Amino acid sequence: MKDPRSKSFYIAGFILLGIVLASFILSLIWTPYDPNATDPASKLMAPCAEHIFGTDNFGRDTFSRVMFASKYTIFISFAGVAIALLLGLLTGLPAGYYGGWTDRGIMLLSNSVMCFPGILLALVAVAVAGPSMFNVVWALGLVFAPTFARVTRVGTMEIKQRDYIMHAQVMKIPSPRIMALHILPNLVGTLLPATVIGLANMTLFESGMSYLGLGVQPPDASFGKLLADAQAYMTRAPWLIIFPALMLIIYILGLYFVSEGIRVRTQKGGV
Amino acid sequence: MGRQAGFIISKILELLATLFLVSLLTFVAFSVIPGDTAQVILGPDASQAQLDALRSELGLDRPMIVQYLSWLGGLFTFNLGKSAAFGTPVAGLIAERLPVTIGMSIIALIFVIVISYPLAILSARRPGKTLDQIFSVMGHILFAIPPFALSLIIITIASALFSGFRAGQYFAPSDNFGGFVGCLILPSFCIALPKIAMTFKYMRSSIIEQNSSEYVKNAKGHGLSDLRILVKHVLPNSNVSSITVISIVLSDILAGSLIVEQVFNLPGLGRLLLAGIARRDFPLLSGMVFYIAFITVLLYFAADILGSIADPRIRLK
């Protein structure tokens, strides 16, 4: 039975995501102004006809900068989740499939990594490797990998019990092939909600790190970086805070709504 | 009682094994990464002889295993050596910043419990009705707002509305305890909001689940009042599942405070961490990473034990 709430979650989620995705795609071909072009004549201008989101302390157009920043926020969340997913699959599949000591070893490692608060781990990793977008991506990928490993492991353990896998084992199909061709495709349903939630959490972390100055470095910018730059002018130029913060919230909220839609749809008879 | 004791002993052994692994991971991570504490202390112009002398003074020329054991011993005696950047003992630096972080965590936890429980009880009275839907939608939205962004928005709006509003004031607890608590309230609230949403969601579905159970129907059949059923039966049972949620919430609050205190310019662990990162102060960083992970592990341990006391079924699993 389909829950009608799942449809409203999907609609709300895709509308919110659409706003951020549209600004990202548009920014690839066009922005009203050059996002990095400074203009001393129009410093800290309030929103007006020429600059609908106002300008910053260098006279850069905030609307163009927000569009420009959406690219980095979206890219980092997707690239980070891709790495976490890949690592999670590479460890979770064998752990769930072979069981025994392989499982114990991999789970011990992933559980100990999960003892460290994620943001702390990511901050220290980036601090040591030097702040750059590339380092943020792999650090967050590593921090999120145990979550995906867990989901993959539990799913694999369940699918392993099915008859067709036993048939495949009897037919002496090599284990890596069974995992890649017969188990992995059936994990998509379990991994999809985890992936969407992962994108939202990744964005939460990345924006925090960029806010602390340990994420995206100039001249690149993400929503978190825009907020960090705006803080010194927040009382004089509130538009520098409000618009990037809204876009950040819209992106994360859109992802949450989509994941909630998936959850409500797949969950049977829940509250 | 035998089972309970056995359960607690096995949990303690698990705790010790986890702490050992956490300490080993922390030590190995800070040993393999490039960077040298002696170099940090002496600066880039130091000669090789000076570096060697300081290394042997700090014990950095000893075998890895000896260094690990001495670091491990230091963790338990709060003697982690001197910070490379500040030149003072690491344990003292951490202790100095602890009041802000702990104060924020406690106030945030109070917000979470005081706000989320009543709302969950109200919401669960008539699931699916208007009030429940309003709370649930609000919960979803609040859950998605990063605390630091929320703090920035609140400060921006507050300073636009009230000309006297100033964020970033700080009073030391020893000078002005009221002022100290006062300056922590807004940041704690910002950290708490998404966690209020999370706790609300769990408590609400837990209460609804209890309400549809046989024993509640039975109690209703016996003519017990709704309030009595809620207070004496439903809430204690819902609390069992909320213990785990609260332990997760607390560790999230602790991690969240690292960023939010930066918005409000509060001298807590977050600022110390950033200072350590900026100056590549490995003795300080490794100590902080271990202790923060230590608190997290301890929280989950406490949740396991409290959960087993509240719900004897957990012990039998």
Side-chain angles (χ1 to χ4, degrees):
Chain A
M1 218 181 75
K2 262 196 184 168
D3 192 317
R5 280 179 308 159
S6 109
K7 202 174 166 187
S8 17
F9 274 127
Y10 278 137
I11 293 174
F14 283 120
I15 288 175
L16 293 176
L17 278 186
I19 297 173
V20 184
L21 285 177
S23 97
F24 157 59
I25 293 167
L26 192 59
S27 78
L28 296 177
I29 45 174
W30 176 82
T31 51
Y33 294 82
D34 177 348
N36 285 319
T38 59
D39 178 7
S42 52
K43 273 188 205 169
L44 294 175
M45 276 168 70
C48 56
E50 298 99 82
H51 301 279
I52 56 170
F53 283 6
T55 62
D56 70 2
N57 52 312
F58 294 112
R60 295 177 293 191
D61 178 52
T62 309
F63 187 69
S64 308
R65 292 207 44 87
V66 168
M67 284 175 74
F68 176 67
S70 64
K71 179 164 67 188
Y72 293 91
T73 298
I74 291 175
F75 170 76
I76 293 176
S77 59
F78 275 82
V81 164
I83 291 177
L85 189 60
L86 189 70
L87 288 173
L89 286 175
L90 286 176
T91 51
L93 273 172
Y97 186 78
Y98 294 113
W101 284 106
T102 317
D103 185 26
R104 258 169 256 173
I106 289 173
M107 279 301 111
L108 191 63
L109 187 67
S110 100
N111 285 342
S112 347
V113 172
M114 283 176 109
C115 291
F116 299 93
I119 189 76
L120 181 72
L121 217 53
L123 281 176
V124 172
V126 166
V128 166
S132 75
M133 190 166 71
F134 176 73
N135 288 337
V136 172
V137 169
W138 72 251
L140 286 178
L142 275 179
V143 167
F144 280 77
T147 325
F148 287 97
R150 281 188 164 194
V151 176
T152 309
R153 170 178 171 270
V154 174
T156 308
M157 279 162 60
E158 189 251 318
I159 294 169
K160 194 179 75 170
Q161 309 292 330
R162 295 185 191 168
D163 284 342
Y164 73 92
I165 299 294
M166 296 196 186
H167 285 293
Q169 284 167 337
V170 171
M171 285 164 72
K172 296 256 184 296
I173 296 175
S175 303
R177 195 181 158 87
I178 295 182
M179 284 188 256
L181 290 183
H182 303 290
I183 293 182
L184 184 58
N186 285 304
L187 283 173
V188 172
T190 356
L191 285 173
L192 191 65
T195 307
V196 181
I197 277 283
L199 287 171
N201 289 335
M202 195 72 75
T203 309
L204 277 173
F205 276 48
E206 178 276 324
S207 60
M209 291 168 79
S210 291
Y211 170 72
L212 293 180
L214 291 165
V216 175
Q217 297 299 310
D220 301 344
S222 68
F223 297 144
K225 181 77 183 116
L226 292 185
L227 289 173
D229 295 342
Q231 196 175 357
Y233 306 94
M234 59 195 304
T235 44
R236 268 188 294 161
W239 55 90
L240 289 177
I241 295 282
I242 299 297
F243 294 113
L246 274 182
M247 283 294 269
L248 178 63
I249 292 166
I250 286 173
Y251 182 53
I252 298 175
L253 197 58
L255 289 167
Y256 271 131
F257 276 167
V258 171
S259 80
E260 198 65 12
I262 301 174
R263 195 185 65 81
V264 170
R265 195 192 52 180
T266 46
Q267 192 182 59
K268 289 167 196 98
V271 268
Chain B
M1 201 56 214
R3 274 187 192 280
Q4 173 73 352
F7 177 82
I8 292 182
I9 289 171
S10 79
K11 278 289 160 196
I12 290 176
L13 290 178
E14 207 181 299
L15 172 74
L16 291 177
T18 315
L19 287 179
F20 169 72
L21 266 172
V22 166
S23 74
L24 194 66
L25 275 178
T26 312
F27 182 80
V28 169
F30 280 97
S31 306
V32 296
I33 53 181
D36 180 10
T37 303
Q39 191 90 56
V40 172
I41 296 174
L42 292 174
D45 302 327
S47 70
Q48 194 57 41
Q50 282 174 307
L51 283 173
D52 287 341
L54 187 62
R55 275 199 197 109
S56 78
E57 194 192 317
L58 294 171
L60 294 173
D61 54 351
R62 293 172 299 171
M64 274 298 170
I65 181 79
V66 179
Q67 285 191 44
Y68 170 66
L69 289 175
S70 91
W71 183 73
L72 192 63
L75 287 175
F76 292 107
T77 53
F78 300 106
N79 177 18
L80 293 169
K82 280 184 178 174
S83 143
F86 293 91
T88 51
V90 168
L93 283 169
I94 295 178
E96 224 170 77
R97 313 297 169 107
L98 223 42
V100 170
T101 306
I102 291 184
M104 269 164 76
S105 302
I106 293 174
I107 299 174
L109 184 67
I110 294 174
F111 274 126
V112 168
I113 292 175
V114 168
I115 298 177
S116 68
Y117 275 43
L119 292 186
I121 292 169
L122 267 177
S123 223
R125 274 178 77 88
R126 291 191 187 85
K129 290 286 185 300
T130 320
L131 191 67
D132 177 39
Q133 294 212 325
I134 292 173
F135 285 164
S136 296
V137 169
M138 269 171 59
H140 283 300
I141 294 174
L142 290 179
F143 195 59
I145 302 182
F148 84 91
L150 182 69
S151 316
L152 288 170
I153 293 175
I154 290 181
I155 298 175
T156 308
I157 294 174
S159 36
L161 293 180
F162 315 106
S163 52
F165 181 83
R166 253 186 71 216
Q169 278 174 308
Y170 174 69
F171 303 97
S174 49
D175 300 344
N176 179 352
F177 191 75
F180 169 72
V181 173
C183 68
L184 296 185
I185 284 183
L186 187 56
S188 308
F189 182 70
C190 292
I191 303 170
L193 262 186
K195 301 298 142 195
I196 291 173
M198 178 174 155
T199 316
F200 163 79
K201 205 169 143 186
Y202 277 94
M203 276 308 280
R204 175 186 164 276
S205 44
S206 174
I207 295 174
I208 291 175
E209 197 188 308
Q210 299 292 336
N211 274 341
S212 61
S213 66
E214 290 294 324
Y215 77 88
V216 170
K217 282 180 198 155
N218 194 19
K220 274 194 181 143
H222 275 86
L224 263 67
S225 71
D226 282 356
L227 188 68
R228 194 182 161 86
I229 296 176
L230 181 75
V231 174
K232 296 277 281 190
H233 301 285
V234 172
L235 283 185
N237 276 317
S238 303
N239 264 330
V240 174
S241 56
S242 72
I243 289 173
T244 317
V245 178
I246 293 289
S247 73
I248 296 173
V249 162
L250 246 179
S251 77
D252 282 359
I253 286 176
L254 184 66
S257 74
L258 297 180
I259 297 182
V260 170
E261 70 186 42
Q262 205 61 26
V263 183
F264 291 88
N265 214 6
L266 297 169
L269 287 180
R271 205 201 270 177
L272 186 64
L273 187 75
L274 285 179
I277 285 172
R279 296 158 85 168
R280 303 182 72 78
D281 186 344
F282 290 174
L284 176 63
L285 288 179
S286 57
M288 290 190 70
V289 168
F290 176 80
Y291 281 126
I292 293 176
F294 176 74
I295 296 172
T296 313
V297 176
L298 220 55
L299 278 173
Y300 293 146
F301 170 74
D304 278 345
I305 298 297
L306 285 175
S308 83
I309 293 169
D311 183 357
R313 283 171 301 183
I314 292 176
R315 275 173 262 160
L316 300 172
K317 274 180 194 161

